[in-house]
Amino acid sequence: MAESIEVPKTDALGRKVWDKAFYAKRAAVRQFEDGQDFDHDDFLLDPSQSRKKARKEAPPPAERRPLEQRKDAVSLDTELGKSKIVTTHTPKQQQGGYWCTVCECLIKDSQAYLDHINGKRHNRSLGMTMRVERVGVDRVKQRLNQIKQVQHGEEDQEANDSPAAIAARLRRMFEEQAKASAN
Ligand SMILES: [Zn+2]
């Protein structure tokens, strides 16, 4: 960005005095950039110069869909406790650590791997933006009702299985049998 960051002034008590108009403008610019899904890397650096390898092409912002829940489980401990020999000829995928098949990169620890698969670059490669779809109040209500119904169903089931309920059912059965035999 061409704007220089202003050095904050201080008031009589030595507290910083912020130029509110300046920061409001900056916030607005930033919000606009977020809306455009603006990438500072794309803006500041020429990828052919900054990255040794050209990064895998992600779909353009207009074609990206909102962030979705991951469908396959993440297994962090499949390689746990294993030993293997790694030489200079070992393919990168097998050099130990976590290999991301989407971005084709090797990550050395689980924390970094989690950060990576939850990160902007990875999800962008998957064709998603980092923004979650906005859900209206109707859909929230619908979902709450759904959950409520399921819970009620479970409660009914529990009520049916309680000793009192079983005793009542048995009593009813015996009464009906007694009535039947009396007739
Ligand atoms: Zn990745």
Side-chain angles (χ1 to χ4, degrees):
M1 244 180 278
E3 287 168 286
S4 60
I5 293 166
E6 209 177 77
V7 180
K9 298 173 192 79
T10 49
D11 67 4
L13 293 168
R15 293 178 301 198
K16 281 174 185 170
V17 179
W18 300 95
D19 183 349
K20 284 186 181 152
F22 171 78
Y23 284 103
K25 200 181 125 206
R26 261 206 349 162
V29 168
R30 223 168 258 186
Q31 212 165 26
F32 173 75
E33 285 170 358
D34 270 356
Q36 303 269 307
D37 209 10
F38 178 90
D39 191 341
H40 286 268
D41 291 353
D42 292 346
F43 181 68
L44 296 171
L45 308 164
D46 179 6
S48 61
Q49 286 179 356
S50 63
R51 307 269 152 103
K52 280 180 207 154
K53 251 194 299 180
R55 79 160 86 136
K56 219 169 155 187
E57 276 300 304
E63 287 170 23
R64 287 177 208 153
R65 55 189 198 283
L67 198 60
E68 287 165 16
Q69 191 178 357
R70 192 179 301 125
K71 286 186 181 81
D72 14 75
V74 177
S75 166
L76 295 174
D77 51 10
T78 42
E79 299 271 291
L80 195 70
K82 284 184 189 164
S83 2
K84 53 170 122 181
I85 295 164
V86 177
T87 67
T88 48
H89 303 295
T90 312
K92 230 181 166 190
Q93 291 94 310
Q94 292 151 31
Q95 277 181 8
Y98 299 89
W99 178 256
C100 176
T101 47
V102 179
C103 312
E104 294 178 354
C105 59
L106 182 71
I107 291 142
K108 288 292 182 182
D109 62 275
S110 55
Q111 185 62 61
Y113 181 64
L114 281 177
D115 282 345
H116 171 79
I117 56 174
N118 290 327
K120 194 174 178 181
R121 204 183 123 204
H122 178 86
N123 283 304
R124 195 177 276 184
S125 301
L126 287 172
M128 293 189 280
T129 61
M130 290 305 282
R131 272 171 298 161
V132 180
E133 189 190 357
R134 274 197 161 265
V135 171
V137 71
D138 292 339
R139 267 184 63 189
V140 174
K141 275 183 188 163
Q142 199 188 333
R143 180 86 183 114
L144 285 174
N145 277 333
Q146 232 174 43
I147 294 168
K148 218 185 271 175
Q149 274 168 12
V150 170
Q151 278 173 348
H152 274 301
E154 276 170 12
E155 272 168 26
D156 289 349
Q157 192 62 41
E158 267 172 41
N160 277 336
D161 293 345
S162 70
I166 292 169
R169 269 208 303 274
L170 282 173
R171 212 177 308 128
R172 236 176 294 138
M173 215 169 73
F174 285 133
E175 277 168 14
E176 272 164 24
Q177 272 176 357
K179 250 187 240 168
S181 59
N183 289 341

